[in-house]
Amino acid sequence: MPTPEHVRAKLRAARAIPPTVRAAMSRAPEEIAPGAIDVLDRFYHALSNHRRDHDCPPRSCYDAAAKSEPTLATLLLTLERFAPELSLAEGRVARKAWYRRRKGGRRKAHPVPLADTAPPECWPTSWHPAYSRLIAESPRESTALRYINSLTRCAQELSALELAPTPDRFRALLLGEAFGDQGLSPRTVRNYVGAFLRLAQCLGADEDALVGIADIFAVWRARAARAPKQKDIKLDAFAERGGTWHGLLDQAVSLCAAFDGAGGSWRASRERGRLQAAVLIIAINTTARTGDIAAWRVGRELIRKADGSWSLRYRSKKSGHTIKYSRLWPETHAALDAVLLAGRPARMLEERYAAVEGRTWMRHGRARVPSRYPSELVKEVASLSAHPLRTLAADVLRRIDPGASVDKTAAWLGQSDLRSQDDYAVAPIGRTQCDAWARVRDQIRRTGA
């Protein structure tokens, strides 16, 4: 273990390190890791060759100073401790490059289109003709995948029950009972039986079989309509813990205000914290679903204007409608700026915007971000996934103006059919009618009529 005198002597010889940093290191020689002085000297030597501001060193300086991942970690930790005024954002980029070079790291395979895949092995041979038709006639690939997964579960259950795989009323009845006995929710059973009905249609089953399966499907659909939604159960638990929409808004604003400007920007926890704050404020500011949020790109769906504000225009994956926000909230502007900078100085905003234009706003890469990732981030900080936030916002509209909230909620959430509006319409209509009857009673008391 080097003595403090040896460490100070080595620091005096490292002339590339700035005097202020050397002085700080001399005062705490016991905190200097082995090899830290050498890598720091190489780093500042490389930095001196760049004719640019030194408050945000470029990635090339990190690459020149550190030829291995442990050496880079030593460099970043030492800079964070003894040069806190530096932005280490490009060090984060260098560190992520080392992550990708790790031996044994898995490479994600490119997804194969469903049309180019074969039916699951557990499917009976008699079901195979329906596979390509399911894919071709589904409005989206995700719909076809949902049917395929449900039918895979049905095939496994029929095999366990030792039943022939012919789709008819009897097998639909037994499948429903078996799934119900396993404790699955009525909505899940409804989806499985609905997929079984779709299979019968694709296989060209006779009319009696189709009517019989449709009868069983109608039973489970009615049971599913009576069962409480998981979203409502989560919202009830959230309310019992004292959670409110306004409380989430305050939490989002507080998280956005805590963004770091420099040191620590190389840490994964800081990167995740910025994303959590940004996704939470976006989920409150907009009605976007998590799959849409994950797919947005800088300069495409999310556009930063010359005055520093951000606008949003995207096509909903679920409804297909184009949704536009000409100007997001100022708090959302700050959150998006912080994610864009990732710890860099504010003067680099335009440079960063140009560098990542056309890439995903969450990871600044071209690879697709998982659709559930935004919801995972929100759940970590809010104990509630992103989707129920839409219902919380609708509750706020209901309290402000019960009479007009039905139309406002439908317009805000993009609901075009009456069924999707039912859950949001019952409470405000009831409250409006109660208020109207209260006014009538008050008039009767005053007039005596």
Side-chain angles (χ1 to χ4, degrees):
M1 187 71 180
T3 63
E5 291 74 17
H6 179 74
V7 171
R8 292 189 178 96
K10 195 169 184 178
L11 277 171
R12 287 192 294 271
R15 306 308 299 174
I17 302 177
T20 54
V21 178
R22 272 189 283 132
M25 296 175 75
S26 297
R27 289 192 293 270
E30 69 283 352
E31 297 183 31
I32 300 176
I37 297 176
D38 294 330
V39 69
L40 210 63
D41 191 48
R42 294 195 299 270
F43 173 79
Y44 277 108
H45 181 74
L47 185 57
S48 65
N49 295 330
H50 284 268
R51 297 179 180 178
R52 57 188 301 174
D53 294 327
H54 290 177
D55 56 347
C56 184
R59 177 186 165 183
S60 59
C61 293
Y62 298 94
D63 292 339
K67 300 301 183 182
S68 68
E69 187 177 351
T71 305
L72 177 61
T74 300
L75 173 62
L76 292 171
L77 288 168
T78 306
L79 288 171
E80 183 182 40
R81 169 64 179 84
F82 297 106
E85 72 282 355
L86 283 183
S87 169
L88 307 180
E90 292 296 328
R92 173 70 182 156
V93 178
R95 190 167 175 81
K96 290 167 77 171
W98 278 106
Y99 292 162
R100 291 190 291 270
R101 289 201 291 266
R102 284 178 179 174
K103 292 183 179 180
R106 291 184 179 179
R107 286 190 175 183
K108 293 184 178 179
H110 294 289
V112 179
L114 276 179
D116 298 334
T117 61
E121 293 182 1
C122 64
W123 275 34
T125 307
S126 59
W127 289 11
H128 287 190
Y131 187 77
S132 57
R133 184 176 172 185
L134 268 175
I135 297 172
E137 296 182 1
S138 296
R140 290 183 292 271
E141 188 170 274
S142 59
T143 306
L145 185 61
R146 178 168 58 82
Y147 279 134
I148 292 168
N149 291 337
S150 296
L151 288 172
T152 299
R153 185 72 182 84
C154 291
Q156 293 169 347
E157 193 61 33
L158 286 173
S159 177
L161 294 173
E162 298 182 352
L163 292 174
T166 306
D168 58 14
R169 185 182 191 281
F170 174 68
R171 287 162 182 79
L173 175 65
L174 292 185
L175 280 174
E177 291 179 349
F179 290 138
D181 292 340
Q182 293 170 15
L184 301 183
S185 70
R187 283 185 171 79
T188 303
V189 180
R190 174 202 61 189
N191 293 340
Y192 285 160
V193 177
F196 199 61
L197 174 60
R198 185 75 186 99
L199 171 71
Q201 293 169 343
C202 290
L203 290 176
D206 60 69
E207 189 66 22
D208 290 341
L210 291 175
V211 171
I213 300 175
D215 288 342
I216 304 301
F217 175 66
V219 171
W220 283 104
R221 184 173 57 189
R223 292 180 182 177
R226 294 193 298 268
K229 291 183 177 180
Q230 288 297 317
K231 177 181 70 173
D232 295 334
I233 295 174
K234 293 176 182 178
L235 286 172
D236 290 343
F238 179 71
E240 289 173 1
R241 294 192 298 268
T244 63
W245 185 87
H246 293 90
L248 284 176
L249 178 58
D250 292 340
Q251 182 181 5
V253 172
S254 299
L255 288 171
C256 292
F259 288 132
D260 59 300
S265 54
W266 66 276
R267 293 184 180 272
S269 58
R270 293 296 181 91
E271 180 179 307
R272 193 173 185 85
R274 283 189 294 266
L275 280 176
Q276 286 172 333
V279 173
L280 181 57
I281 195 71
I282 285 173
I284 296 174
N285 187 179
T286 71
T287 61
R289 293 176 170 85
T290 57
D292 295 322
I293 294 175
W296 293 341
R297 296 161 296 173
V298 177
R300 301 295 188 269
E301 289 79 19
L302 281 168
I303 299 176
R304 191 176 190 273
K305 302 177 182 177
D307 62 356
S309 65
W310 288 78
S311 65
L312 172 63
R313 182 186 179 92
Y314 70 98
R315 187 179 182 86
S316 171
K317 291 183 178 180
K318 183 173 183 178
S319 66
H321 298 157
T322 298
I323 301 171
K324 181 179 179 181
Y325 294 84
S326 58
R327 189 183 183 92
L328 298 171
W329 292 345
E331 293 83 0
T332 311
H333 302 165
L336 290 171
D337 284 350
V339 172
L340 185 64
L341 287 171
R344 296 170 179 82
R347 61 177 175 78
M348 299 181 68
L349 260 172
E350 292 185 7
E351 179 184 338
R352 284 292 298 164
Y353 186 84
V356 303
E357 189 170 359
R359 302 185 179 187
T360 59
W361 76 275
M362 297 186 72
R363 293 182 176 172
H364 299 161
R366 301 196 183 279
R368 182 182 301 177
V369 177
S371 60
R372 294 188 179 182
Y373 184 53
S375 190
E376 293 173 5
L377 294 175
V378 170
K379 195 170 184 178
E380 287 181 6
V381 294
S383 71
L384 193 69
S385 57
H387 182 68
L389 299 185
R390 297 155 56 88
T391 302
L392 285 178
D395 290 339
V396 175
L397 290 175
R398 272 201 297 254
R399 289 194 294 271
I400 294 174
D401 188 354
S405 68
V406 176
D407 295 334
K408 289 181 179 178
T409 301
W412 189 63
L413 295 179
Q415 296 170 336
S416 56
D417 62 284
L418 297 176
R419 283 191 308 167
S420 60
Q421 299 174 21
D422 286 345
D423 292 339
Y424 297 95
V426 173
I429 290 175
R431 181 173 172 181
T432 302
Q433 292 172 344
C434 289
D435 291 344
W437 177 231
R439 289 192 296 270
V440 172
R441 291 201 310 269
D442 184 61
Q443 182 178 5
I444 292 173
R445 283 195 299 269
R446 287 200 313 268
T447 60

